Amino acid sequence: MISHGSPFLPVLQEIAGRDVAHRLAELLPGAQVRGVTLAAKGALEKAVEGLDTPVVCPWFMSDGWFVGTHLPKRLRAAGLTSWRATPPLGLMPGIGALLHGGLRSGLAAEGWRAADTTLIMAAHGSPSSDRPRIATEAAAKALSRRETFKAIRTCYVDEPPAIRDAARVDGQAMVLPFFAARAGHVTDDLPEELEAAGFEGPVLAPVGTWQESCALAAEQILAVPATQAA
């Protein structure tokens, strides 16, 4: 399991990555599971040492530059010549069902009906690539096929529509952080944007921290073809 991590708080995000790996290992008896971030110096090289064609599970919400370009480059530089890979978390088949289950729990906790609720789906976005936005909108569409909210508003840290604009809502609303980890965008940027919007509704845990996300990833890891190799 490979996540982005944080150049500013590498140790904390390494611990979080190892926690995800531990939860995956519980779902994959007999498998050797390692969790690592790209940001921690030397961590990736140590994680892939001695491995031959491992399964790589990108703990990212889209197939943007980090997954499509940077990650393969880093894996080769770390000494891997081949590997198999799952889709990134946010693009895994079943993401709609995953979000649906988590949101049903969130709605139940508030005693709310989805039809009366506006969902603010906050994500990273990118000023230079449309892939993060496309992945977010695809997940929102997959969710909408399973549950009818009053509205689903996708919004972003790094591109419009801004979170502070989307979160100005009349009536009840909740925020779904479509992020892989509880890092700076979730702990700093998101609260700042919601405060600027005057938003006081419930904010769910980021998707990548859900136990159910590990269950979805474990299914995808087991489904990777044995013949696939990068």
Side-chain angles (χ1 to χ4, degrees):
M1 189 287 295
I2 302 178
S3 60
H4 185 286
S6 169
F8 306 107
L9 296 169
V11 175
L12 289 179
Q13 290 306 310
E14 277 291 301
I15 292 171
R18 287 196 293 270
D19 177 64
V20 172
H22 176 73
R23 287 184 281 152
L24 282 171
E26 292 179 337
L27 298 168
L28 297 166
Q32 182 181 168
V33 183
R34 301 176 183 178
V36 66
T37 72
L38 294 173
K41 186 176 180 180
L44 181 60
E45 289 76 9
K46 184 177 180 180
V48 302
E49 186 176 351
L51 300 182
D52 180 23
T53 316
V55 175
V56 173
C57 180
W59 214 249
F60 290 77
M61 304 313 292
S62 78
D63 58 349
W65 180 81
F66 271 100
V67 171
T69 301
H70 186 66
L71 178 55
K73 182 178 178 180
R74 288 286 305 275
L75 289 170
R76 293 187 183 98
L80 279 184
T81 57
S82 66
W83 60 89
R84 297 176 291 149
T86 71
L89 175 62
L91 287 172
M92 288 181 177
I95 189 67
L98 174 72
L99 299 183
H100 181 232
L103 285 162
R104 283 180 67 87
S105 297
L107 290 165
E110 300 296 325
W112 290 356
R113 295 173 62 246
D116 302 324
T117 305
T118 297
L119 179 66
I120 310 301
M121 194 165 167
H124 191 294
S126 170
S128 58
S129 171
D130 61 359
R131 288 184 177 274
R133 174 179 49 78
I134 289 171
T136 304
E137 291 178 353
K141 185 176 181 179
L143 170 62
S144 70
R145 289 195 289 264
R146 294 176 174 271
E147 192 71 76
T148 302
F149 283 85
K150 182 178 180 180
I152 299 178
R153 299 183 180 182
T154 54
C155 51
Y156 307 95
V157 172
D158 280 350
E159 66 175 285
I163 295 169
R164 66 179 61 196
D165 295 330
R168 293 188 173 100
V169 179
D170 291 328
Q172 67 191 38
M174 66 171 48
V175 174
L176 171 65
F178 194 64
F179 290 91
R182 191 184 297 278
H185 288 313
V186 172
T187 60
D188 300 329
D189 297 326
L190 180 57
E192 289 175 7
E193 290 291 295
L194 295 178
E195 182 178 3
F199 183 86
E200 297 181 348
V203 180
L204 301 182
V207 173
T209 66
W210 298 0
Q211 177 61 33
E212 294 81 3
S213 294
C214 290
L216 175 60
E219 292 176 2
Q220 290 297 299
I221 290 168
L222 292 172
V224 175
T227 55
Q228 182 203 76

